[in-house]
Amino acid sequence: MSEQAKKEWLEWIKAIAIAVVLAFILRTFFFATSIVEGASMNPTLESGERVMFNKIIYYIDEPSYGDIVIIDRPVKNYVKRVIGKPNDTIEVRNHQLYIDGQKREQNFLSKEAINATRDFGPIKVPDNTYFVMGDNRAISKDSRNGLGFIKEEEIIGRTELIIYPFDEISLTQ
């Protein structure tokens, strides 16, 4: 092998090594993917869709109302929407969401999903926790009925993009 060929080969190996290291850093610290399981986020997200989520956003900011987040639990991850922040009082009355007594619009929900939302609360969200719900309110396991309040450290990212199936690539917010 000529000296020039060795040099080109080493440059090629170096480029691959850098790409692998960058991919590892991005996946470990910045972005990851998750598969949506079940129908609790229909029609916003459907079972089997793969979403890309931002892992670093909540190190520099806090979850906002309406964010679709990934929740890390020992058995599996959940995909839900942030409805209440620490110290909020959450109530659903006559199919309408109230936060601290103020009616909140939920433009991300269909009329059917709003009408399927049963009365709940009022309940106060404790410090360092969040209240989440699925968009398919009639069947969602969420803060109302099984998941409880979500600790801040259990929220591992905000969904940004549906990446699979390919014909449905779009932003999730």
Side-chain angles (χ1 to χ4, degrees), residues 130-158:
Y130 291 83
F131 188 92
V132 299
M133 293 168 71
D135 287 359
N136 190 349
R137 301 289 167 78
I139 66 161
S140 178
K141 178 181 178 182
D142 51 39
S143 290
R144 300 170 296 168
N145 58 14
L147 286 184
F149 298 112
I150 306 303
K151 296 176 189 166
E152 191 169 3
E153 60 270 10
E154 292 176 313
I155 298 176
I156 59 171
R158 180 180 72 197

Side-chain angles (χ1 to χ4, degrees), residues 57-77:
I57 188 71
Y58 297 134
Y59 288 108
I60 55 177
D61 201 4
E62 63 181 34
S64 297
Y65 298 111
D67 283 359
I68 300 173
V69 297
I70 306 295
I71 301 161
D72 184 33
R73 287 286 173 92
V75 175
K76 72 177 206 170
N77 289 348

Side-chain angles (χ1 to χ4, degrees), residues 67-126:
D67 283 359
I68 300 173
V69 297
I70 306 295
I71 301 161
D72 184 33
R73 287 286 173 92
V75 175
K76 72 177 206 170
N77 289 348
Y78 292 89
V79 181
K80 302 293 175 187
R81 191 178 294 273
V82 173
I83 300 299
K85 294 179 171 186
N87 300 308
D88 284 347
T89 299
I90 306 297
E91 182 176 14
V92 176
R93 189 171 64 237
N94 297 321
H95 310 290
Q96 297 299 313
L97 172 65
Y98 293 86
I99 301 175
D100 295 330
Q102 301 292 315
K103 183 178 173 182
R104 292 291 178 110
E105 293 301 318
Q106 301 175 82
N107 299 327
F108 46 83
L109 291 180
S110 67
K111 191 169 233 25
E112 293 81 23
I114 290 171
N115 289 334
T117 308
R118 293 184 288 281
D119 287 355
F120 176 83
I123 191 167
K124 185 170 179 157
V125 181

Side-chain angles (χ1 to χ4, degrees), residues 17-92:
I18 289 170
V20 167
V21 168
L22 283 174
F24 174 78
I25 289 170
L26 286 173
R27 175 137 169 83
T28 303
F29 300 107
F30 294 96
F31 294 98
T33 62
S34 184
I35 297 175
V36 177
E37 295 179 19
S40 73
M41 285 299 292
N42 280 359
T44 307
L45 299 172
E46 296 179 12
S47 188
E49 288 181 331
R50 184 173 291 270
V51 293
M52 179 178 287
F53 65 95
N54 182 334
K55 294 173 77 171
I56 198 159
I57 188 71
Y58 297 134
Y59 288 108
I60 55 177
D61 201 4
E62 63 181 34
S64 297
Y65 298 111
D67 283 359
I68 300 173
V69 297
I70 306 295
I71 301 161
D72 184 33
R73 287 286 173 92
V75 175
K76 72 177 206 170
N77 289 348
Y78 292 89
V79 181
K80 302 293 175 187
R81 191 178 294 273
V82 173
I83 300 299
K85 294 179 171 186
N87 300 308
D88 284 347
T89 299
I90 306 297
E91 182 176 14
V92 176

